[in-house]
Amino acid sequence: MTTHPDTPTTVEYAPEQPARLEWAKHAPEVYKAMVRLETAARKGLDHKLYELVKIRASQINHCAFCIDMHTKDALAAGESVERIVQLSAWDESRHFYTAKEVAALELTEAVTVLTGGTSQAFGSGGGFVPDEVYDNAAKHFEEAELAQVIAAITVINAWNRFGVTCRMAPGHYRPGQYK
């Protein structure tokens, strides 16, 4: 029997799987470089938009640790529960988000999945960000801000790779813990 931190009674849950590897402990220079990259990538971005991008990429990548972290950070930053809950189905609930946020979410999905349409230069089969997705994002962001959004998407995808590969366990993060 375990007590879940958000439940006042004792309930039996499935056992937590241990992490496979504490990668940051064994590759501290890589971890420090990732933290520096993260700090640089978030500069100048609206905090709520930044967290929505982080949550959505983490959902796509099935990184439970990062979903836990960024959901808690978004809530702490004043994001609504409703918008966070709808994020996994944002395309069907666009009315919860601004046009700029929708453009960022479209770009997040395209960069995270990289299965865009066809290209005359590379033949069919995808593997790139479709022009219409990029062009829509470029309409809503100044170039410097767009570069920061792309950086934030790229960095969360890297963090997600560490999280899912090493099976980092969600549920222990506290908002702002790593800032």
Side-chain angles (χ1 to χ4, degrees), residues 20-35:
R20 289 178 174 153
L21 175 71
E22 292 181 51
W23 77 270
K25 175 181 165 185
H26 297 290
E29 293 305 314
V30 174
Y31 177 78
K32 289 175 194 172
M34 285 294 297
V35 170

Side-chain angles (χ1 to χ4, degrees), residues 87-169:
L87 197 52
S88 64
W90 69 268
D91 199 25
E92 291 80 16
S93 52
R94 289 173 175 248
H95 60 284
F96 285 88
Y97 308 98
T98 67
K100 188 174 187 176
E101 290 167 337
V102 166
L105 293 170
E106 287 173 341
L107 187 60
T108 299
E109 293 207 2
V111 171
T112 300
V113 180
L114 289 178
T115 58
T118 61
S119 168
Q120 292 179 1
F122 300 109
S124 62
F128 62 95
V129 174
D131 289 340
E132 60 273 11
V133 172
Y134 183 87
D135 292 345
N136 187 42
K139 283 192 305 192
H140 293 283
F141 294 93
E142 296 293 325
E143 284 187 344
E145 189 180 21
L146 180 56
Q148 291 301 123
V149 170
I150 294 167
I153 296 166
T154 302
V155 172
I156 190 57
N157 274 282
W159 283 120
N160 290 164
R161 283 1 180 226
F162 287 116
V164 297
T165 303
C166 297
R167 197 171 47 214
M168 295 173 66

